[in-house]
Amino acid sequence: MNFEESFKSSIKALKGNKVRSFLTMLGIVIGIASVITMSAIGKGGQESITGNLKKTGYGKFTVYVDREDQAFRWKYLLDDDIIEKLKNTDKFKAVSPMIKKRLFAKLGGRDEIMWLTVTTPEYEEIDKVNITEGRSLLSFEYKTGERSVLIDHITAKDLFGSSENALGKSLEMSESRKSVKIPYTIVGVFQNQFEQYVKAMGGRRIPRFVRMPLRTYDKVYDLKANGYTDIVIESKNPDFMSEDMGEAKRLLEKFTGVKDLYEVGTLSDGASSFDSILTTLNIFVIFVAGISLFVGGIGVMNIMLVSVIERTKEIGIRKAIGAADKNILMQFLLEAVILTGCGGIIGIISGILLGIVIGNIVGIPPVFSLWSIIISLAVSMSIGIIFGVIPAKKAAKLNPIDALRSE
């Protein structure tokens, strides 16, 4: 009996017990569908949570003054002249001061912490935000120091009911809870990138953010009396960011004449760390879902063993008329592989459809990997071979005389 005949015989045997074949495949279908769905939703959630954070830091780095160094003096703080010198080297895509500060804003009769980012046109190029309502800051607002600000959509909703209602309204902020609060006009609302990040970590308090022009901040807090401790730089080519980091540090030491005082760091360290945590979690979830595949494989072996017992007389007749052990082995092995292969294909289709449906329900766009689909199909076929070997060998080793005597 050749392979084609064995294949046709296997199909005929499976068709003869359609309900049993379907129930046997069901375990494989559920296992494969679970792996595909969990993988797609997990990867989609990971991309949704860390995607914006990683984009924010990709190809961008900071240079800061190490104020703990014994050589530190206040005169070594960075200023506008040094930033202009770095820009004029034409080695970087954009250079900007980086100032982040905690302020207090009046929200609903109580003071809430607002995390301020002081911005410039260059900074807006480096650290872009997604404006959902209103507009970005205009050039004259950067130059004249107008008290115009951008706030995140969470704060806009909590304070004014919606992002649209926040436009043109006043936001009062101060350095401390007891300080006199200064009013600022809201001209735009941007997406809070930390919303999904915080929810994924099980947190309830999403940080609030506000952006104001550098000139405005300088007018209120007399920035020129202090200088900058940090600047942020975007590389022309992100692939050469490491070289640019070293070059920026070398240039600052050249401009200031001070060695080993300036340090560099990337903006994406936090996102990368969280991304690795989510990756590990996804692997664990997929592993747990994969246990159902193992259970499905045991089900295949169990049913195939029952099939061997039921068809003992048939096996005896075939061996009596000259069927070789390898022919019997091949047929039963093919039956197992066909069952798991078909179960794998149905499971993949079900997993994709289920992933799309669940993704729409929970608001997470699923990310399907071609490799995960190929591997899932390969695993399902492998399960057929691995768990089909024992029943197939048992069938092949049956003594034809004993088999013919069985009832």
Side-chain angles (χ1 to χ4, degrees), residues 322-380:
D325 288 356
K326 65 178 183 179
N327 298 132
I328 304 296
L329 177 70
M330 181 182 291
Q331 180 180 342
F332 279 87
L333 201 55
L334 275 173
E335 286 182 25
V337 172
I338 291 168
L339 275 174
T340 54
C342 291
I345 293 171
I346 297 171
I348 288 170
I349 296 170
S350 301
I352 292 173
L353 294 175
L354 198 60
I356 294 171
V357 171
I358 294 176
N360 288 331
I361 292 172
V362 300
I364 296 176
V367 177
F368 297 101
S369 167
L370 179 61
W371 279 110
S372 68
I373 293 172
I374 293 172
I375 290 171
S376 295
L377 184 59
V379 167
S380 68

Side-chain angles (χ1 to χ4, degrees), residues 105-126:
K106 206 75 173 176
L107 273 81
R110 66 181 186 277
D111 287 334
E112 289 276 355
I113 294 174
M114 296 285 294
W115 294 103
L116 168 69
T117 297
V118 178
T119 187
T120 64
E122 292 81 9
Y123 190 89
E124 288 300 316
E125 286 297 315
I126 296 172

Side-chain angles (χ1 to χ4, degrees), residues 44-115:
Q46 184 177 348
E47 290 293 326
S48 297
I49 293 167
T50 63
N52 288 333
L53 299 179
K54 290 170 75 174
K55 287 177 185 177
T56 300
Y58 184 60
K60 299 149 192 177
F61 61 94
T62 59
V63 182
Y64 58 94
V65 183
D66 183 5
R67 291 191 291 180
E68 301 299 322
D69 194 288
Q70 292 182 347
F72 173 75
R73 300 291 183 273
W74 288 104
K75 66 180 180 179
Y76 297 142
L77 286 176
L78 305 168
D79 55 28
D80 292 333
D81 290 338
I82 290 177
I83 290 174
E84 282 302 316
K85 287 180 180 178
L86 286 172
K87 289 180 183 178
N88 293 335
T89 61
D90 200 33
K91 293 181 179 292
F92 313 107
K93 184 177 179 180
V95 182
S96 174
M98 189 172 77
I99 303 170
K100 295 184 182 291
K101 189 181 183 70
R102 186 183 71 173
L103 295 179
F104 291 90
K106 206 75 173 176
L107 273 81
R110 66 181 186 277
D111 287 334
E112 289 276 355
I113 294 174
M114 296 285 294
W115 294 103

Side-chain angles (χ1 to χ4, degrees), residues 16-34:
N17 293 280
K18 293 179 181 178
V19 175
R20 178 192 290 176
S21 299
F22 172 75
L23 293 175
T24 305
M25 283 194 300
L26 196 59
I28 301 298
V29 170
I30 292 171
I32 294 292
S34 299

Side-chain angles (χ1 to χ4, degrees), residues 253-302:
E253 290 176 347
K254 176 184 175 182
F255 296 152
T256 61
V258 182
K259 299 285 185 181
D260 302 323
L261 185 61
Y262 302 103
E263 301 293 338
V264 292
T266 62
L267 292 178
S268 57
D269 287 342
S272 298
S273 299
F274 189 61
D275 191 44
S276 65
I277 294 171
L278 289 179
T279 299
T280 304
L281 183 61
N282 284 340
I283 292 171
F284 174 74
V285 170
I286 292 169
F287 174 76
V288 172
I291 292 175
S292 60
L293 271 177
F294 179 75
V295 175
I298 293 175
V300 170
M301 182 171 64
N302 185 43

